[in-house]
Amino acid sequence: MSRNEPQITPELVAEHGLKPDEYQRILKLIGRVPTFTELGIFSAMWNEHCSYKSSRLHLRGLPTKAPWVIQGPGENAGVIDIGDGVACVFKMESHNHPSFIEPYQGATTGVGGILRDVFTMGARPVACLNLLRFGATDHPRTRHLVEGVVAGIGGYGNSFGVPTVGGSVGFHTRYDGNILVNAMAVGIARADSIFYSAASGVGRPIVYLGSKTGRDGIHGATMASASFEASSEEKRPTVQVGDPFSEKLLLEACLEIMGKGCVIAIQDMGAAGLTSSAVEMGAKGNLGIELDLDTIPCREEGMTAYEMMLSESQERMLMVLDPAREAEAEAIFRKWGLDFAIVGRTTDTLRFVVKHGGEVKADLPIKELGDQAPLYDRPWVATPKKPVISANSIVPPLSNREALLKLVGSPELCSKRWVWEQYDHLILGNTIQQPGGDAAVIRLGEGPKGLALCTDVTQRYCEADPVEGGRQAVAEAWRNLTAVGALPLALTDNLNFGNPEKPEAMGQLVGCIEGIGEAARALDFPIVSGNVSLYNETQGRGIPPTPSIGGVGLVEDVAKTATLAFKTPGDAIILIGATGGWLGQSMYLAEICGREEGAPPPVDLVAERKNGDLVRGLIRAGDVSAAHDLSDGGLAVALAEMAMAGGVGAAIDAPAGVPAHGWLFGEDQSRYLLTASQGAAGRIIAAAEKAGVPAVVIGSTGGNALTLHGQEPILISDLVSAHEGWFPKYMAAAI
């Protein structure tokens, strides 16, 4: 044991998040008691956040390959080929626990971390998205958390200079003690110039780049792998502090030295900081790594080896450089005002050696640090099936008119303009469709090609039936991309769940992964990157299972995308897909009837694909004047959103055979609303019939009000007032 280091005791081992049997595994692996620094390294590499020890077994079954996939899971981000020699690089990650403790900094560093994952691959970031879940609106901390998280996301993205173009915001009391902040970044690179993290070559310099190392973020990854207790505020020192201006400099410097051919391998210093980045680079390249911490640029005096290895200070990179280009690389980084320090070298020993102050602080087998991390097949139980709720069994407590006004003004379905107007969604000048629609659309370069981007999950479906909820989350992303005319290509995910040591919570994770995999295979929608965030619970109360899905689709011509806004009076309104009035787990049942009950709507993946392919073809053919997928709140809410977006009213009639409230508010899947001229409507109905897709004209656009099946019209201005009013009033504490 090195001098001045604490003795390794069972209590110290437990403080590092390691179970007694895991510590015994360490003793067997290295044949001795670890040093304090080595204990910290094992804690970082073997925690849930870095090792995926509870989820790896089940993640192996997900589809990750397709002809257009260049890089699937296992690197900093996924990469897909989008044609013309261009690749799209993207990933989603969580910063849940830090954002609950310190919402502004937690959110900023979540955005900063995911941006680094993208430009580490050699891509220039072009867009950010997010998925946010907060507690009950009447909880005393919710307003503070919303304000801090939104300010943090905007503060970092706006300053860094990348548009935040889409996202999702929701509330539920089960997030009271554990909010979700999932950040997604998308970048563009040349398909033949992707950079990877595997080191190669013996004796090559390992270079530290970016900002200096401090004591912020120590044990951040370990904290992310544990549930919260009442003392969560004491974890504030484990939250990192971000600097978007330093990150912008780091981006430009990294892309410049990549372009000069200086880089052999590169790894972002994210979770577990220097430890994980160095170990991953060496292990992936079947090489050893030797670090000399005396050369690490530090911003605080007297930092120990333990602190430097576990710090999660932001805006830092680790690279293996071509020795012949070392001086050139250093000059570039100095030009950008960033630290550049040779901190080690690659070896042929397959050992991870850390030196500091003339002492060896760690000497560990590098492959086993990752490969021998515990892998658990945890006990799990399937979620019991819920009963199907018939629309006929529900007596409407409000008129359909009153119900619609209440739904569009509810916290879940109201306009989130208050949120996204704090983000710069137009910077770079390529945003074609801004937040508020089914999917964001950005132009690639001078066009005409573009990307459609979205984030989705319906957590109440996932809790009621994890398999069905997993299917629906993927299908919803597929529909949102399709509704703007994009071809869905690939997805990233962020699997947010409770304590995997509880069989019920583990069963939710297993079920959702199964459903996600089924849908991804059926829709040719591979998962190329992702993140797992477990132990999202506070004092024994877990969050609803929330497997966030980030979707990416290709648009051949951004001038021909569809939007949800009604365009002109007199257009036919066409409902695509079968409607049976499914109210189980619906927003109508929750908000209007006060019941969170029943089985969620089933997803027919064959119908999902068939319906989506038809809609996409109709949009590309130019026959569709507006398109919108049907999801939360069903047909009536979708109609209201289309009317509000376009300032044009509509009148519709419900068919016989389905209760009107079920037909209007049911959340049956695989459905879209389209508008078209009266002449094009006939062609659409004929094309649907030929494809075997249910399609029916339900009404027409026109006027300044929405009329639901003969009920008193609702003025669009009244809908807008309800829809736009809730969030600003809530944040002003005026309700």
Side-chain angles (χ1 to χ4, degrees):
M1 184 176 70
S2 300
R3 60 179 179 269
N4 300 323
E5 289 193 348
Q7 183 179 357
I8 307 300
T9 64
E11 292 76 19
L12 189 63
V13 170
E15 287 174 13
H16 281 73
L18 293 163
K19 302 289 175 63
D21 62 314
E22 293 173 340
Y23 182 63
Q24 290 303 312
R25 185 193 289 255
I26 293 170
L27 296 179
K28 183 177 180 181
L29 178 64
I30 66 176
R32 56 178 172 79
V33 173
T35 67
F36 183 52
T37 300
E38 289 173 336
L39 183 68
I41 289 170
F42 274 109
S43 169
M45 293 302 298
W46 284 15
N47 64 53
E48 194 74 60
H49 193 74
C50 293
S51 73
Y52 295 85
K53 58 191 177 186
S54 296
S55 58
R56 281 203 323 268
L57 192 66
H58 303 282
L59 294 173
R60 292 170 181 168
L62 292 175
T64 60
K65 299 179 189 274
W68 53 90
V69 174
I70 296 173
Q71 175 64 53
E75 274 291 339
N76 287 293
V79 186
I80 59 173
D81 189 336
I82 56 175
D84 302 319
V86 178
C88 177
V89 181
F90 62 100
K91 189 181 182 184
M92 182 188 289
E93 278 202 345
S94 61
H95 232 220
N96 303 336
H97 287 183
S99 299
F100 181 77
I101 297 167
E102 177 50 66
Y104 184 89
Q105 293 297 348
T108 63
T109 49
V111 174
I114 200 64
L115 285 167
R116 286 195 303 280
D117 281 339
V118 165
F119 71 75
T120 296
M121 303 291 291
R124 180 172 290 278
V126 294
C128 282
L129 300 92
N130 52 70
L131 187 140
L132 312 176
R133 293 293 182 268
F134 299 100
T137 56
D138 59 357
H139 188 276
R141 289 204 66 189
T142 297
R143 190 179 287 105
H144 162 73
L145 292 168
V146 172
E147 187 173 42
V149 166
V150 171
I153 291 171
Y156 205 99
N158 298 354
S159 301
F160 180 83
V162 63
T164 300
V165 297
S168 168
V169 181
F171 299 88
H172 195 279
T173 186
R174 293 271 297 286
Y175 298 109
D176 285 347
N178 199 126
I179 65 173
L180 300 186
V181 176
N182 293 178
M184 177 177 169
V186 182
I188 297 299
R190 282 175 36 207
D192 60 356
S193 298
I194 304 300
F195 288 82
Y196 299 96
S197 58
S200 64
V202 175
R204 283 177 166 162
I206 298 171
V207 181
Y208 173 114
L209 308 163
S211 298
K212 289 180 168 56
T213 294
R215 291 187 171 94
D216 53 322
I218 293 173
H219 285 308
T222 304
M223 176 191 68
S225 304
S227 59
F228 275 163
E229 302 305 330
S231 59
S232 63
E233 284 296 320
E234 297 173 7
K235 298 180 184 289
R236 190 176 297 272
T238 64
V239 178
Q240 310 94 319
V241 177
D243 180 352
F245 302 105
S246 293
E247 179 128 332
K248 175 64 172 174
L249 298 176
L250 183 62
L251 161 72
E252 299 300 341
C254 285
L255 293 183
E256 185 173 344
I257 67 168
M258 287 170 170
K260 299 285 188 181
C262 305
V263 179
I264 303 297
I266 180 170
Q267 179 69 43
D268 162 43
M269 287 195 225
L274 183 58
T275 290
S276 66
S277 57
V279 170
E280 288 174 15
M281 290 178 78
K284 287 180 181 177
N286 292 311
L287 293 171
I289 298 287
E290 185 174 297
L291 297 179
D292 180 2
L293 301 187
D294 292 344
T295 60
I296 296 288
C298 293
R299 68 169 182 260
E300 299 182 50
E301 293 185 5
M303 289 191 69
T304 65
Y306 178 95
E307 291 171 329
M308 282 186 269
M309 292 306 297
L310 296 188
S311 169
E312 292 185 11
S313 294
Q314 297 292 288
E315 293 88 37
R316 302 181 300 158
M317 294 281 191
L318 206 61
M319 288 186 185
V320 177
L321 289 183
D322 178 351
R325 315 298 291 271
E326 185 181 307
E328 185 179 6
E330 181 172 6
I332 290 170
F333 264 77
R334 298 297 184 198
K335 177 187 75 175
W336 287 100
L338 295 166
D339 279 299
F340 178 102
I342 297 173
V343 297
R345 63 187 180 91
T346 58
T347 71
D348 61 1
T349 64
L350 288 177
R351 304 290 295 181
F352 183 49
V353 179
V354 178
K355 298 177 179 178
H356 186 228
E359 290 187 9
V360 174
K361 297 292 187 178
D363 186 349
L364 300 168
I366 197 165
K367 295 283 285 185
E368 287 80 355
L369 261 176
D371 294 347
Q372 294 300 312
L375 175 61
Y376 294 125
D377 185 2
R378 295 197 184 277
W380 61 274
V381 296
T383 301
K385 295 290 185 182
K386 304 292 191 296
V388 173
I389 294 178
S390 168
N392 287 307
S393 70
I394 297 172
V395 177
L398 300 175
S399 71
N400 292 327
R401 181 186 187 280
E402 292 169 321
L404 179 56
L405 281 167
K406 183 173 181 180
L407 281 171
V408 298
S410 67
E412 284 295 292
L413 300 182
C414 72
S415 168
K416 304 306 189 296
R417 185 184 303 275
W418 184 93
V419 174
W420 57 259
E421 283 193 339
Q422 297 189 51
Y423 307 149
D424 190 334
H425 48 275
L426 298 175
I427 194 168
L428 301 182
N430 288 318
T431 304
I432 302 299
Q433 289 198 36
Q434 66 182 20
D438 287 313
V441 178
I442 62 169
R443 179 177 51 231
L444 296 174
E446 299 300 316
K449 290 172 70 171
L451 293 174
L453 310 167
C454 65
T455 57
D456 295 285
V457 69
T458 308
Q459 64 272 0
R460 62 185 186 277
Y461 293 173
C462 295
E463 182 152 54
D465 186 332
V467 177
E468 207 66 73
R471 289 191 194 107
Q472 194 274 341
V474 172
E476 173 72 6
W478 161 274
R479 283 198 302 275
N480 279 330
L481 298 174
T482 294
V484 299
L487 175 64
L489 287 182
L491 58 84
T492 182
D493 60 29
N494 203 125
L495 307 180
N496 306 278
F497 290 82
N499 185 347
E501 296 170 48
K502 295 180 177 179
E504 293 77 14
M506 190 65 205
Q508 293 173 336
L509 174 64
V510 172
C512 283
I513 291 175
E514 178 185 338
I516 288 168
E518 288 180 9
R521 275 186 289 273
L523 300 173
D524 279 342
F525 205 17
I527 298 126
V528 299
S529 61
N531 173 246
V532 178
S533 175
L534 304 182
Y535 294 97
N536 287 290
E537 70 168 38
T538 299
Q539 295 181 275
R541 188 191 196 199
I543 64 164
T546 314
S548 307
I549 298 294
V552 173
L554 183 64
V555 176
E556 291 295 341
D557 185 348
V558 295
K560 296 180 180 178
T561 58
T563 67
L564 58 78
F566 287 155
K567 305 298 188 301
T568 55
D571 277 356
I573 302 172
I574 303 162
L575 173 60
I576 300 289
T579 297
W582 194 286
L583 289 177
Q585 296 299 328
S586 66
M587 286 304 302
Y588 180 88
L589 196 65
E591 288 288 334
I592 306 305
C593 304
R595 297 162 56 186
E596 295 185 17
E597 297 175 14
V603 180
D604 181 336
L605 293 169
V606 173
E608 197 71 63
R609 182 160 192 160
K610 189 162 53 173
N611 297 5
D613 289 347
L614 172 71
V615 168
R616 196 178 311 109
L618 294 170
I619 293 171
R620 290 179 176 178
D623 282 336
V624 174
S625 55
H628 193 13
D629 90 302
L630 270 61
S631 56
D632 286 343
L635 170 64
V637 168
L639 277 167
E641 289 169 343
M642 298 175 85
M644 289 186 288
V648 177
I652 62 163
D653 289 309
V658 179
H661 62 286
W663 189 77
L664 288 168
F665 300 107
E667 296 180 7
D668 305 83
Q669 300 294 292
S670 313
R671 298 187 301 158
Y672 302 81
L673 275 180
L674 309 179
T675 61
S677 67
Q678 296 295 334
R683 294 195 298 272
I684 290 173
I685 296 298
E689 185 176 351
K690 183 177 179 181
V693 172
V696 61
V697 175
I698 61 170
S700 62
T701 61
N704 64 351
L706 188 61
T707 304
L708 303 177
H709 190 53
Q711 296 229 322
E712 181 185 346
I714 312 172
L715 291 174
I716 295 174
S717 57
D718 289 341
L719 285 168
V720 169
S721 178
H723 189 56
E724 297 286 350
W726 185 86
F727 222 116
K729 288 178 183 176
Y730 175 70
M731 294 310 297
I735 63 168

